[in-house]
Amino acid sequence: MINNNPKKLIAFDINSTKEIELSLIADNKYIFTPKKDEKVIDIKLSGSLEEQEDVNQEYQVEFSQTDDGFTMMTVNGTSYPVEILANRQNEYELLVNGVGYSFSIETPFSMQRKKMLLAQAKESPVMQLKAPIPGTVVEVLVQAGDVVKSGDTLLVLEAMKMQNAILANIKGRIRKIYVKQGDSVSQRDLLIEIERE
Amino acid sequence: MKNKKIKSILIANRGEIAVRIAKTAKKMGIKAVGVRTQKEPDAFYLSEMDYTLDFPEQEKGAIPEFLDIENLVLLAKKNKISALHPGYGYLSENARLAVRCTEEGIIFIGPTPRVIQDLGDKVIAKEIAAKGKVPMFGGSAGVVETLEDAQKIAGQIGYPLIIKACSGGGGRGMRIVRCAKELRQMYNSAVSEAQTAFNDPRVFIEKYLENPKHIEVQIVADIFGNVLHLGERECSIQRKHQKLLEEAPSPALNEDLRKKMTSAAVALAKAAGYVSLGTVEFLLDKDKNFYFMEMNTRVQVEHPVTEMITGLDLIELQIRIANGEALPLTQKDVKLNGWAIECRINAEDVQANFSPCTGTITALRLPQGKGIRIDQGVVVGSKITPFFDSMIAKLITHGANRSETIAKTFEALRQFQVRGIKTTIPFAKAVMNNEVFQSGNFDTSFIEKDLTSVVFREKDEELFAALLSINNYLEQNAPAQHQVENHDAWTLKNKIYNM
């Protein structure tokens, strides 16, 4: 069965610092053969949306379960163990060979919107600092109103008996502090807001 | 075994080191006794024991089981166990445990309480090192009691300097201070961490060496005054003073320097009146001057690399010494053969700043082959909880020379697969693949300076990930034909467990 769907999809590398480091556009052309669940995704690999016509390569993708519990993904003859860690709507967190990757699947339209939002966030005057790991706040070294520069230690977080310094990532003024000494925080809890100067 | 006093050993530890100790005990015809805690009642290490004992039920908020001296000693005494092995970490360098064992007629497998106490106190350890004429850094003459004293010493020796907990070790309770502005915060946090971590707020100050190499010498000494060294280990691949990868021998040493450093280590052990297995840690600067840092009075995590190149069983030597036997070999008999590398496999998310990772191991594939050894603390189904250390296994490889061993380690890491948690395997691969590491010319700044990516990515890995997400997205959004509940056996087990 060939399913020809004109809708294009883009895999967008969430962790990439560049706007698009790798974009994959699937023509969503599936080929199912009834014997084994073999799928062919027609992929166009390109550096940006405009250059999408440049590369047009076909990847043969297969999945198999091993007896010892791994999911192997084979692409054009190469096999790696893969794992989907999390999937929230169009966002994916995956492991290939134990290395983590984050992708969001976008249509050309949502991609444009995403790029716009990213650009806006970059210019946003307030930077929110979140807890990178769950832990206990050992010490808060700044007060609201303090002027800090990138690299300054703002607070110390203790997790698994290790003390971790939380540093400022921009130059600015402390707008608000959401935690105090002794507080337990979960991952991604808001710690401090810095106003860009 | 001649004069067999040790008939059974209570292993006051968990994980891979408990398995490691049990292995040697069983080989020697000694009963290995494990301690079962409520935090991990079906842990893998328990299945490797001859007997297991339940740790007495605890109230909430009690001290962790493997730090509870009285209950551990009582457990050994009540069950008529002849000896206690503390492993590493936990109580392994606690003189009080050694004292309590002796008082209750239990053989403590380790040095005497006095030696543990002396070497555990960094200030006294420096006095001993001076007696053995071992080179050391300048710094405070003793404990630094107040911030004002700290400022005074800082004025004398200059920056950078390091504040260390007198009872510290294993990279904890240390603060590096690079300028006067940082001194107040660093001094206060060092004191408070020393208090919480070691129950001893005393700290001292030393000149700090930027980017040294970390090299340690394995010592073994019996009660008859025989002190031998088993060569050195290179431990410079560290992150926040935590070792991640070790090798033996060190590519930084030639025969002359090896002789100097091992002789200094032996002299220090003799000056301390040392008996048992121990490790003298040194820092080496760019001009190949070495300085004494500390002596660890226990078995090290990285002891297998020494075992691989010497062919000796260090745990067996440790048990025999505790049993009152003389060392079965002399310095002449110690032959260093080939090269060995150990990679610590930790349940950590390397890409998220090495943050600890919890979960259940749902699949595990271990590398196999000649010269490959795995010391494991987990099997399929093991739960990684926040209660314990993140190390789940060690991969140790042995080859004829360094480059052969690096290649072998890299291949073994490629075969090593873990599902269910993130591990440091991709990190270890990145180290093996790094040219600076391969050159042997690296120091403790390696991860910061020379490692361009903390993970090694296989060819087209990112493409695989993108394809996988697109494929899954298309499947999810395809018209549903039938719904299958996505429950594997381990998820179900956890659900039942939590019911």
Side-chain angles (χ1 to χ4, degrees), chain A residues 13 24 30 39 80 100 163, chain B residues 175 351 459 462 466 474-475:
Chain A
D13 189 343
L24 293 167
Y30 267 65
K39 293 151 203 169
Y80 295 141
Q163 296 204 343
Chain B
R175 289 290 182 283
Q351 292 160 290
K459 190 175 174 292
E462 192 174 34
L474 292 171
E475 271 180 6

Side-chain angles (χ1 to χ4, degrees), chain A residues 112-149:
Chain A
Q112 293 288 5
R113 193 170 159 269
K114 198 173 186 92
K115 275 168 80 178
M116 228 171 64
L117 287 173
L118 269 174
Q120 273 176 12
K122 260 189 186 164
E123 285 159 16
S124 154
V126 177
M127 177 71 215
Q128 296 194 322
L129 218 68
K130 292 177 180 171
I133 40 169
T136 311
V137 178
V138 185
E139 199 176 1
V140 182
L141 299 159
V142 288
Q143 292 179 332
D146 283 2
V147 174
V148 293
K149 62 176 193 302

